[in-house]
Amino acid sequence: MNRIFGSSASKKPKPSLQDAIASTDARIASIEVKVKKLDGELARYKEQMSKMRNGPGKNAIQQRALRTLKQKRLYESQLAQLAQQTFNMENAALTTENMRNTMATVDALQASNKEIKKQYGKINIDKIDDMHDEMEEMLERANEIQESLGRSYAVPDELDEEDLEAELDALQFEEEEEGTSYLADINKVPDFIDEPPLELSETPTHEAMKATG
């Protein structure tokens, strides 16, 4: 029987909140078209009454205008209700979406918390401290080795800076004296020459040699 006539389980699913919002928006659009049409009729009745004198004809048009206006007010009331319904449904949809996002965030945080606890449970703080102590000891040994390799040989342990400066000044003074004596003895005759050489102006000319000859 269920295969022939179907069962309640094969019924169409209930419309979702988004389907209800879309349906309500369609109804609002339809009523807005009707209100716009009634506005056109009211404008036409108003124009007709403005051209007519008081009397039965004008009163009849006025009655039509009142009925049209009453119908317009009913449609406008429905529009207000539908607009409020749409607002409520959209607010509910937004709240539902926010709740889903919140639950997803909570689930992600819980999973992350479990993973963090799992990973931190594998860490041994004592081993980390021992590793730091061992590294510190190795660095100290390395520094001691560098200091040992950097020792100076045949150098006094303590040198007075004032003595070093005085020695440096003495060296500079000796260099100045050596330079001065060298310049002063440029024209000095070597020891192996008995007589100093004549200057160019003192060399005897040809006439002077004839006179002496």
Side-chain angles (χ1 to χ4, degrees):
M1 295 293 293
N2 291 336
R3 294 180 179 177
I4 298 175
F5 298 101
S7 61
S8 59
S10 62
K11 292 181 180 180
K12 294 182 179 180
K14 294 181 180 180
S16 64
L17 194 57
Q18 295 297 331
D19 294 335
I21 293 174
S23 177
T24 304
D25 289 340
R27 291 173 60 189
I28 290 174
S30 177
I31 293 175
E32 286 178 346
V33 172
K34 294 178 181 180
V35 171
K36 187 176 181 181
K37 181 179 179 181
L38 294 176
D39 285 336
E41 293 179 3
L42 289 173
R44 187 171 66 254
Y45 292 149
K46 183 179 179 181
E47 184 180 0
Q48 291 176 358
M49 287 188 296
S50 65
K51 298 178 180 179
M52 297 175 65
R53 296 179 179 179
N54 295 330
K58 185 176 182 180
N59 292 335
I61 294 176
Q62 187 175 1
Q63 290 299 321
R64 293 178 185 175
L66 290 174
R67 288 194 300 268
T68 302
L69 182 60
K70 183 177 180 180
Q71 189 176 6
K72 178 186 175 183
R73 291 290 182 264
L74 290 175
Y75 283 143
E76 289 177 345
S77 177
Q78 290 181 6
L79 284 175
Q81 293 177 359
L82 293 174
Q84 184 63 40
Q85 291 177 10
T86 301
F87 174 79
N88 293 336
M89 288 187 293
E90 289 178 347
N91 190 20
L94 181 61
T95 303
T96 302
E97 186 66 22
N98 289 336
M99 184 61 65
R100 290 176 181 173
N101 293 334
T102 301
M103 294 303 298
T105 303
V106 172
D107 292 340
L109 290 175
Q110 290 178 348
S112 178
N113 190 24
K114 290 181 180 179
E115 185 65 22
I116 291 173
K117 289 181 179 179
K118 182 179 178 181
Q119 295 299 328
Y120 271 106
K122 300 178 181 178
I123 297 176
N124 191 332
I125 301 299
D126 295 334
K127 290 184 178 180
I128 295 178
D129 292 337
D130 294 340
M131 181 183 65
H132 281 296
D133 295 338
E134 184 178 358
M135 184 176 295
E136 184 177 0
E137 183 179 355
M138 292 176 61
L139 291 175
E140 290 179 356
R141 292 182 61 185
N143 290 332
E144 291 176 357
I145 293 173
Q146 293 297 327
E147 291 178 359
S148 177
L149 293 175
R151 287 186 303 173
S152 301
Y153 299 96
V155 177
D157 294 336
E158 295 182 359
L159 294 176
D160 191 349
E161 292 185 359
E162 293 183 358
D163 294 340
L164 293 175
E165 292 178 357
E167 185 176 354
L168 181 61
D169 293 339
L171 290 174
Q172 293 178 353
F173 180 74
E174 290 178 0
E175 290 178 358
E176 292 178 357
E177 285 186 347
E178 290 177 359
T180 303
S181 61
Y182 172 76
L183 293 175
D185 295 342
I186 288 178
N187 296 324
K188 183 178 179 180
V189 179
D191 296 336
F192 59 85
I193 298 178
D194 296 334
E195 295 182 1
L198 297 176
E199 296 292 337
L200 183 60
S201 59
E202 296 178 0
T203 303
T205 60
H206 182 68
E207 289 79 4
M209 292 177 65
K210 288 181 178 181
T212 56

